[in-house]
Amino acid sequence: MFAQQLMNGLMLGGIYALVAVSFTLTIGILNFLNFSIPALFMLGGVVSCALLAAGVPAVGAAAGALAATGLASLLVERCTFRWLSTSDPHIPLVSSLGFLIFFENLVLVYFGSDAVGYPSPFARASVKVSDLTVSLPQTGGFLLALVLVALCYVLLKYTKLGRGLRSIAESPAIAEMLGVKVGWTVSSVYLVSGLLAGIGGILFGISYLQVSWDMGSEVALKGVSAMVLGGMGNVWGAVLGALIIAVIEVMTIAYLNSEAVNVFVYGLLLVIIAFCPRGLLGDRVKMAERM
Amino acid sequence: MSGYALQIGAILCVHVIAAYAAYMTLAAGQLNLGIAGFMALGAYGSAVLSNAGWAMPQSIAGAVLLASLVGLCVSYPVLRARGIYLTIATLAFSEVVVALILNMESLGAASGLVVVGHLGFWPILWVTLGVVALVVFLASTRFGLCLTAIRNDAQGAAVFGVRTRRIEVTAFTIGAALAGLAGALYAHHFSYVEAQRFNVLLSTYAVLYTLLGGLQTPLGPLVGAALFTLAPELLRGTDEWRYVTFGAVIVVLMLLRSEGLFTRSFIHNLMHRRPAT
């Protein structure tokens, strides 16, 4: 029982981790809490679901969903980033909230308010390991999430693009002076962050076989909490936070009841922020001061 | 006025007070996403007091006192964090309050709580006008000036002798009290409260009204809340598309008027023929 729940928690944590890293990229580098990420997560799930239902093969459906989230993310970038450096930090926040309302209700119009079954090509494939039931799509999703996060880390740490990104995190003006193509680099942050959220949405559909227009909100709240728990702008902190939160959530549902989940998850978060206001692993890119 | 118009009016008033609750902390440069939590405290506090036999004004006052005390206690640890951390801390606080209520059988848990007594539209309107007057007055005092100074440059303000921490705690507490008031009025207007109503979306909308209206003047939240409560009602004819339109309007508005609708130069242009430079 305990081992099974622990595994379920880790699987859920993989999805939270993707969303948390998606948040942490725009926060750590651009100092911008992107409220449209729940919508991008939802678009990944819903668009792939619609394409699969229309008979498109799995690879095509995934590609189509990622193209949709990528385009949506770049659209958000056009309307938010330009204002980040110039004025009040709250303005891009409001714009991204506007996008959240826009996308969610657009899907609501076309998709209806009920949760829709996800026509996953893998369905409920699972194997038995002693008395554990291991869901294959969930395990695959979890491993994919870890690989993607690791790739993000490598991208940030070792590539030219990553160096550009980190220099923008320090100071966009100086980065531009030193020859970093700020506009292009920023677009790529939005693209990567949007794609991570979109992949998270697809994995959610494959793992839990259900998508709906408001699937993003709850997951994104947990994702933001995970990011803060681990320390903003810190990729591995986001993963650690996501796994902790998901395991607490699953354990609470298993041993107490589902109403008590938020007491423990957000209670822990509140205590952590009160006693170590920079998260468990601290923010490596110290961006918070500028806020 | 018809029953429908009175209902919309009462909701509008609650939104206006909630927007001012968000405005108080935003005016000091911090984003508070815990409005819904304080509203829940106010709503359930006043509901319990009213059901225990208190008269309505006393129970509402008691609920406001409760919300501001909790706000004061929470503000100290929460204001240790800055920026996004503070925002998430207030969000977490709000979620904890709602989750605790959902787990308390004595408060009706998930099925909600029936409130004794009903408050009509007109008293709510008078209270709302009082709140607007209070915030406009506060903005004209030294306290209001300090808020603006902290929002623009906290370190600079501290150098010039502004006690930033004390001002921030005061603003946060007043915000909590206003949110509690909004919750208490809401509970007594509908004579029924359920904890699920006080979710993140409610806090987000309160902040949204304030930022869309503009932070520059204390009338911004009023304009923002009024416009964005009434606009979806006017768009009711377009039915399911109205929130799509609403989202698009927000994005376009922020592109065109990033300081909010009701800015100082806008007021200047209203009063004088020559535009402000």
Side-chain angles (χ1 to χ4, degrees):
Chain A
M1 173 71 172
F2 181 80
Q4 180 75 53
Q5 296 301 344
L6 187 66
M7 199 184 64
N8 292 348
L10 291 178
M11 302 290 157
L12 183 62
I15 291 174
Y16 287 172
L18 282 178
V19 178
V21 171
S22 172
F23 272 112
T24 219
L25 282 178
T26 51
I27 288 247
I29 295 162
L30 307 173
N31 199 15
F32 164 42
L33 183 60
N34 187 350
F35 267 110
S36 68
I37 283 175
L40 301 175
F41 177 84
M42 179 271 299
L43 280 179
V46 168
V47 172
S48 63
C49 174
L51 288 176
L52 281 174
V56 179
V59 178
L66 290 184
T69 42
L71 279 178
S73 189
L74 289 178
L75 182 68
V76 174
E77 188 247 349
R78 283 292 107 188
C79 299
T80 52
F81 177 68
R82 301 199 277 148
W83 308 106
L84 278 174
S85 45
T86 52
S87 45
D88 201 298
H90 298 127
I91 289 155
L93 213 74
V94 177
S95 294
S96 67
L97 261 172
F99 274 109
L100 175 63
I101 298 173
F102 177 76
F103 284 128
E104 283 199 340
N105 286 285
L106 198 63
V107 170
L108 182 65
V109 168
Y110 283 112
F111 223 65
S113 57
D114 297 328
V116 176
Y118 193 85
S120 163
F122 313 108
R124 291 185 189 277
S126 61
V127 289
K128 280 257 179 206
V129 181
S130 65
D131 57 345
L132 279 180
T133 314
V134 183
S135 158
L136 290 180
Q138 285 190 17
T139 314
F142 178 71
L143 293 178
L144 180 63
L146 286 189
V147 169
L148 285 173
V149 173
L151 280 179
C152 263
Y153 178 74
V154 171
L155 177 87
L156 274 177
K157 181 122 194 177
Y158 297 108
T159 64
K160 182 157 185 279
L161 178 65
R163 277 195 297 280
L165 290 174
R166 281 181 288 139
S167 68
I168 289 177
E170 289 290 330
S171 159
I174 294 177
E176 180 131 49
M177 248 186 270
L178 295 177
V180 177
K181 288 177 183 150
V182 172
W184 186 82
T185 315
V186 166
S187 298
S188 64
V189 178
Y190 274 83
L191 193 62
V192 171
S193 145
L195 288 180
L196 284 178
I199 294 173
I202 299 176
L203 290 181
F204 186 90
I206 293 176
S207 301
Y208 301 103
L209 299 174
Q210 219 177 39
V211 290
S212 62
W213 67 281
D214 59 351
M215 64 192 258
S217 320
E218 198 61 27
V219 175
L221 274 181
K222 299 277 163 57
V224 172
S225 311
M227 169 191 83
V228 171
L229 193 62
M232 289 191 306
N234 181 331
V235 173
W236 292 114
V239 175
L240 178 69
L243 294 180
I244 292 176
I245 283 185
V247 169
I248 292 180
E249 179 175 345
V250 170
M251 291 298 173
T252 314
I253 293 176
Y255 293 102
L256 281 165
N257 62 55
S258 59
E259 302 287 359
V261 169
N262 285 358
V263 179
F264 288 102
V265 169
Y266 295 107
L268 172 75
L269 190 63
L270 206 53
V271 171
I272 295 276
I273 296 178
F275 287 101
C276 76
R278 290 194 168 275
L280 285 176
L281 297 189
D283 37 6
R284 202 167 292 163
V285 206
K286 288 215 169 11
M287 295 308 307
E289 285 125 357
R290 274 204 289 151
M291 284 291 289
Chain B
M1 278 209 276
S2 69
Y4 174 70
L6 289 176
Q7 184 89 328
I8 299 288
I11 293 176
L12 171 63
C13 288
V14 170
H15 283 176
V16 168
I17 301 179
Y20 275 109
Y23 172 78
M24 287 314 295
T25 31
L26 272 172
Q30 303 292 341
L31 183 61
N32 179 355
L33 274 184
I35 308 294
F38 291 111
M39 282 180 76
L41 279 176
Y44 273 86
S46 68
V48 168
L49 291 179
S50 277
N51 291 355
W54 287 39
M56 200 184 294
Q58 278 91 326
S59 69
I60 291 179
V64 172
L65 195 64
L66 170 74
S68 35
L69 279 180
V70 174
L72 185 64
C73 297
V74 169
S75 68
Y76 273 96
V78 159
L79 283 168
R80 277 187 64 201
R82 316 287 339 161
I84 305 284
Y85 287 101
L86 180 139
T87 302
I88 304 297
T90 55
L91 177 84
F93 162 77
S94 175
E95 291 288 314
V96 168
V97 168
V98 173
L100 282 176
I101 292 174
L102 279 174
N103 278 291
M104 277 190 226
E105 287 301 328
S106 56
L107 290 180
S111 51
L113 193 62
V114 175
V115 185
V116 174
H118 170 76
L119 196 61
F121 167 68
W122 297 107
I124 296 184
L125 180 67
W126 296 126
V127 172
T128 309
L129 290 179
V131 168
V132 177
L134 174 74
V135 177
V136 170
F137 166 71
L138 278 179
S140 71
T141 59
R142 187 175 180 279
F143 172 70
L145 213 57
C146 291
L147 283 182
T148 311
I150 293 174
R151 179 171 85 238
N152 289 333
D153 182 355
Q155 280 176 344
V159 168
F160 281 99
V162 175
R163 297 189 168 167
T164 50
R165 190 155 173 80
R166 188 182 289 182
I167 300 276
E168 281 172 354
V169 167
T170 314
F172 193 94
T173 310
I174 296 176
L178 289 181
L181 177 64
L185 294 177
Y186 173 89
H188 279 91
H189 181 70
F190 290 96
S191 303
Y192 176 71
V193 280
E194 53 174 352
Q196 295 93 323
R197 268 280 303 158
F198 301 99
N199 52 19
V200 191
L201 213 57
L202 188 63
S203 310
T204 323
Y205 271 104
V207 170
L208 207 55
Y209 296 144
T210 306
L211 290 176
L212 286 171
L215 286 176
Q216 285 187 358
T217 75
L219 289 176
L222 178 66
V223 175
L227 215 60
F228 288 95
T229 307
L230 298 178
E233 293 305 323
L234 296 177
L235 287 170
R236 201 173 267 282
T238 56
D239 205 31
E240 53 189 0
W241 283 95
R242 62 184 165 142
Y243 281 102
V244 181
T245 322
F246 183 52
V249 166
I250 292 172
V251 172
V252 173
L253 201 64
M254 280 294 119
L255 286 177
L256 300 179
R257 290 191 69 88
S258 54
E259 288 296 318
L261 279 174
F262 209 68
T263 57
R264 252 183 241 118
S265 60
F266 178 73
I267 298 173
H268 183 96
N269 292 348
L270 273 185
M271 302 292 186
H272 306 81
R273 278 173 192 281
R274 210 178 311 149
T277 46

